[in-house]
């Protein structure tokens, strides 16, 4: 499939998706959200892809927010539809993807950009990265999951401060507050992302999928995460990866997962 706003590059079992709108600081418009949805969908159904890295083109921005020109004149109903479509097509979709997604934050991650990074399964950042949810300065609130995922990651108090002041965190502050796992120089960002992704690809894809589902269950209303863990743990026993993993352990060799 040909894309206008994103670039795809696969090396062995790792797919890198680069949001490529440098003149707009990689801002998310509806077309880009749809392209990302299609790329993530295809990758998730491709058995050769075992980990996904999402990043932005250039050195200034991961994603500097949503494309405000597209919704500046929306009414109440259109605004609600915009948020719901974004959740369904990209943000909730990425969070629940069975293939692990690493966000490599290479610059500004603001508004929808930070929300995309937070929807990913974990985040790393370059030293020049800055992260925030500035929506209240535009008379609106985060609409792509920011009010829900940010408190999960940094705590309610810090999330309230960030959202209400519209202040940005530096990369080091983001690490201190649990928003990102690692901070490295710009030139080291993708190599680190690929190193982490490579470690992931050596493990059982089916087990990782069950683990993602179980961890996410803890944050869903009305769902008992412990019961999901018990169920998913049991399901693992019926997979080829379990047979291979335990057999390899007993035979004192490295497993070769399908």
């Amino acid at each position: 499939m040909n894309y206008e706003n994103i670039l795809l590059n696969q090396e062995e079992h790792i797919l890198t998706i680069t949001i490529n709108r440098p003149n707009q600081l990689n801002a998310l418009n509806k077309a880009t959200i749809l392209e990302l949805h299609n790329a993530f969908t295809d990758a998730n159904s491709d058995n050769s892809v075992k980990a996904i890295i999402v990043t932005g083109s250039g050195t200034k921005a991961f994603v500097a927010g949503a494309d405000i020109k597209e919704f500046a004149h929306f009414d109440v109903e259109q605004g609600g539809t915009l948020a719901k479509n974004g959740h369904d097509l990209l943000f909730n979709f990425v969070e629940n993807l069975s293939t692990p997604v690493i966000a490599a934050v290479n610059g500004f991650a603001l508004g929808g950009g930070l929300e995309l990074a937070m929807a990913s399964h974990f985040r790393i950042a370059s030293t020049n990265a800055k992260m925030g949810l500035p929506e209240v300065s535009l008379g609106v609130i985060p609409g792509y999951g920011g009010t829900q995922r940010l408190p999960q990651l940094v705590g309610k108090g810090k999330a309230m401060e960030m959202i209400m002041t519209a202040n940005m965190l530096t990369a080091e502050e983001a690490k201190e507050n649990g928003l990102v796992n690692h901070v490295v120089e710009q030139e080291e960002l993708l190599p680190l992302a690929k190193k982490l992704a490579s470690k992931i690809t050596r493990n059982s894809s089916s087990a990782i999928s069950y683990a993602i589902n179980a961890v996410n269950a803890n944050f869903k209303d009305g769902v008992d995460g412990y019961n999901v863990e018990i169920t998913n743990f049991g399901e693992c026993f019926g997979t080829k990866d379990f047979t291979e993993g335990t057999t390899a352990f007993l035979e004192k060799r490295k497993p070769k997962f399908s």
Side-chain angles (χ1 to χ4, degrees):
M1 185 178 293
N2 294 321
Y3 295 110
E4 294 183 1
N5 300 301
I6 63 175
L7 303 172
L8 305 182
N9 180 56
Q10 184 170 346
E11 298 177 11
E12 296 184 344
H13 297 298
I14 302 167
L15 176 69
T16 301
I17 301 176
T18 303
I19 301 163
N20 187 37
R21 303 184 74 219
N23 293 336
Q24 294 79 28
L25 293 179
N26 303 322
L28 293 177
N29 58 4
K30 289 187 287 187
T32 305
I33 287 175
L34 182 58
E35 288 189 8
L36 285 167
H37 171 81
N38 291 335
F40 279 114
T41 299
D42 289 345
N44 202 46
S45 61
D46 185 344
N47 289 334
S48 71
V49 177
K50 295 187 175 184
I52 301 169
I53 299 167
V54 61
T55 191
S57 63
T59 59
K60 292 183 178 180
F62 172 71
V63 172
D67 197 330
I68 298 171
K69 297 190 299 294
E70 284 196 336
F71 60 81
H73 303 293
F74 276 14
D75 61 22
V76 171
E77 183 177 354
Q78 290 171 312
T81 299
L82 178 72
K84 184 180 186 307
N85 288 342
H87 279 275
D88 293 344
L89 285 173
L90 186 58
F91 300 90
N92 288 350
F93 186 79
V94 167
E95 180 179 68
N96 293 300
L97 209 68
S98 59
T99 306
V101 180
I102 303 170
V105 181
N106 57 306
F108 288 107
L110 305 177
L114 180 55
E115 287 169 310
L116 175 58
M118 291 191 295
S120 302
H121 298 123
F122 64 90
R123 292 142 297 283
I124 63 175
S126 57
T127 52
N128 68 312
K130 291 188 176 181
M131 287 155 260
L133 296 174
E135 284 87 347
V136 296
S137 68
L138 301 172
V140 70
I141 70 170
Y144 288 147
T147 64
Q148 306 304 299
R149 294 189 180 99
L150 187 61
Q152 292 171 7
L153 292 165
V154 305
K156 180 180 177 181
K158 188 63 178 179
M160 285 288 198
E161 177 188 338
M162 288 178 63
I163 291 169
M164 289 191 285
T165 63
N167 284 347
M168 293 183 290
L169 297 183
T170 65
E172 284 296 337
E173 288 171 336
K175 182 181 177 183
E176 290 169 5
N177 284 278
L179 190 52
V180 302
N181 294 10
H182 304 278
V183 175
V184 293
E185 296 295 331
Q186 179 82 234
E187 61 271 16
E188 299 173 21
L189 183 65
L190 280 181
L192 174 59
K194 291 175 182 177
K195 179 181 178 180
L196 293 168
S198 181
K199 290 184 177 181
I200 290 170
T201 65
R202 294 198 287 269
N203 297 317
S204 163
S205 293
S206 63
I208 287 171
S209 174
Y210 282 124
I212 290 170
N213 178 259
V215 172
N216 284 343
N218 185 54
F219 298 97
K220 298 184 186 300
D221 288 339
V223 176
D224 187 329
Y226 291 102
N227 283 338
V228 174
E229 180 186 275
I230 290 167
T231 299
N232 289 2
F233 178 79
E235 291 292 333
C236 289
F237 283 71
T239 65
K240 293 180 179 179
D241 280 0
F242 174 76
T243 301
E244 170 60 17
T246 53
T247 301
F249 177 82
L250 294 172
E251 294 178 351
K252 294 182 173 55
R253 61 174 174 83
K254 291 184 179 180
K256 296 180 181 178
F257 294 116
S258 59

